[in-house]
Structure formats: C-alpha cells, structure tokens
Amino acid sequence: MTKLDKFKIICDDSTVTELPARAFHTAAVVQKENSASLFVIGGKGSRDEVFNDVWEIELPSDQVPTASTEVTCRRIHFKGNFLPRYDHACEVLDSGRIAVYGGVGADGRDLNDLLMFDTNEHTWYSCTNTNASAPGMARIEGLTSTNVFLGPRHGHAMTMLNKQVYLMGGDTSSSEVHVLQLGMA
C-alpha cells in the first residue's frame, strides 16, 4: 500500500481564491520539457452548475508532493469554443494536446463532439470527420457524416496507443470498443 497525500493549491488569479469544487470533470497530465502540468477540464459543481473552464496546476518535477508542498494553479483564458460539460472523456495526444469527447451539456443532453485543446496555444479546436480544423490532426478515419463520430455519450473512457484513440462504453452505448484513427502530422 502506498501513502496517499494531498498538497496545497495556490491560485495565481486575484479574482479566484481556489479551484472551484467539482465532480464528473476530467484531468490530464501533460509532460513538458522540464515540467508537467495537470489540466482540469469542465465538470459539474456542487450547485449543479456545469463548467466550461480549464485549469492548469503546475506539478513539482523534482519531488513527490506532500501536505507541505504548494503548487500554483491558474485558470486558462482560452480561445475557441468549448461548451460547458461534465462526464466527458479526455486523452493526452502529442505536443501538449488533449482530446475531449462527448459528455453532458448544460441543457442535460449528451454531446456528440470531438474537440482538441492545445495547451501551448490555449486554444480549443473542433474536429470534423475528414479534415479536422486543428493543426496536426489531418483526418479521423472510418467515420460517416450521417453518424458523426460515435454518437452522443457520457460516462465513457478513452485512451491512446500508437496514434489511435480507443473509446469504450458510456451511458448510451454498448460494450463495443471504438477506435478513432487520428491522422496527426
């Protein structure tokens, strides 16, 4: 059994004293040259508010965080369109990019979109069936325009191996495993 510890998060935004509490969000670690950051995306708040925010928590690279460790957190002011959502899935791609699929929107409906967040440019890109608008994502194969991506869903899981994103489950799906073949430059 390993020891589970927590650390203190200090927000660098004078208008926000702490990262708002949430559930059904995603979190992804993006490795950079000499550091790593934890990106917290979307989620649902304690008063049923649905978030479309992105937070970056800088992780210490030279130590395991403990209760006395302080890390910096900041809200990302991004470009592009990212609808509020919770119970979505995400996966780290390459070069500091994070793919996000589906979830539940603020209106309570399941979402049917594949987005990419560029953590270097702080920009959201909407990906389409054949020619994604995001740099470095040239195509997503095996998808039809009448059934965009895999259909609306939430509560699913995603992971990536060899430039292929594997997606399974979700409240509105079967137990099939879907593979999105990403054409990345």
Side-chain angles (χ1 to χ4, degrees):
M1 183 83 172
T2 59
K3 180 182 175 190
L4 182 62
D5 217 332
K6 62 182 179 179
F7 48 90
K8 187 172 183 178
I9 298 173
I10 308 295
C11 286
D12 69 355
D13 185 337
S14 62
T15 62
V16 180
T17 57
E18 65 182 13
L19 174 72
R22 64 193 63 220
F24 307 111
H25 57 285
T26 55
V29 173
V30 173
Q31 294 281 136
K32 302 203 176 174
E33 195 169 307
N34 294 320
S35 65
S37 291
L38 174 68
F39 287 87
V40 177
I41 302 170
K44 190 172 188 178
S46 59
R47 287 180 241 133
D48 284 336
E49 65 269 44
V50 179
F51 299 119
N52 74 328
D53 54 1
V54 177
W55 293 80
E56 181 179 9
I57 300 170
E58 294 176 13
L59 300 175
S61 59
D62 58 345
Q63 66 183 26
V64 175
T66 66
S68 63
T69 305
E70 292 185 357
V71 296
T72 302
C73 170
R74 67 186 175 113
R75 183 177 184 154
I76 302 294
H77 299 283
F78 56 79
K79 297 172 265 178
N81 190 24
F82 178 65
L83 295 174
R85 69 190 61 220
Y86 65 94
D87 213 7
H88 50 287
C90 81
E91 179 59 33
V92 176
L93 302 177
D94 64 348
S95 304
R97 299 177 229 185
I98 301 171
V100 171
Y101 189 86
V104 179
D107 62 0
R109 294 182 187 200
D110 284 350
L111 299 171
N112 182 30
D113 55 356
L114 178 62
L115 303 166
M116 186 189 71
F117 182 65
D118 186 315
T119 63
N120 298 311
E121 297 177 9
H122 298 160
T123 302
W124 281 103
Y125 297 96
S126 178
C127 301
T128 62
N129 280 0
T130 54
N131 292 310
S133 58
M137 290 186 71
R139 68 184 185 283
I140 300 175
E141 299 175 9
L143 307 170
T144 65
S145 59
T146 55
N147 184 15
V148 177
F149 303 116
L150 309 172
R153 67 188 61 224
H154 69 278
H156 51 289
M158 286 173 51
T159 193
M160 187 170 126
L161 176 66
N162 298 328
K163 295 188 179 184
Q164 296 182 65
V165 175
Y166 294 84
L167 187 145
M168 182 179 179
D171 234 20
T172 60
S173 71
S174 70
S175 61
E176 296 174 336
V177 175
H178 300 275
V179 181
L180 301 177
Q181 295 181 3
L182 303 179
M184 294 191 269

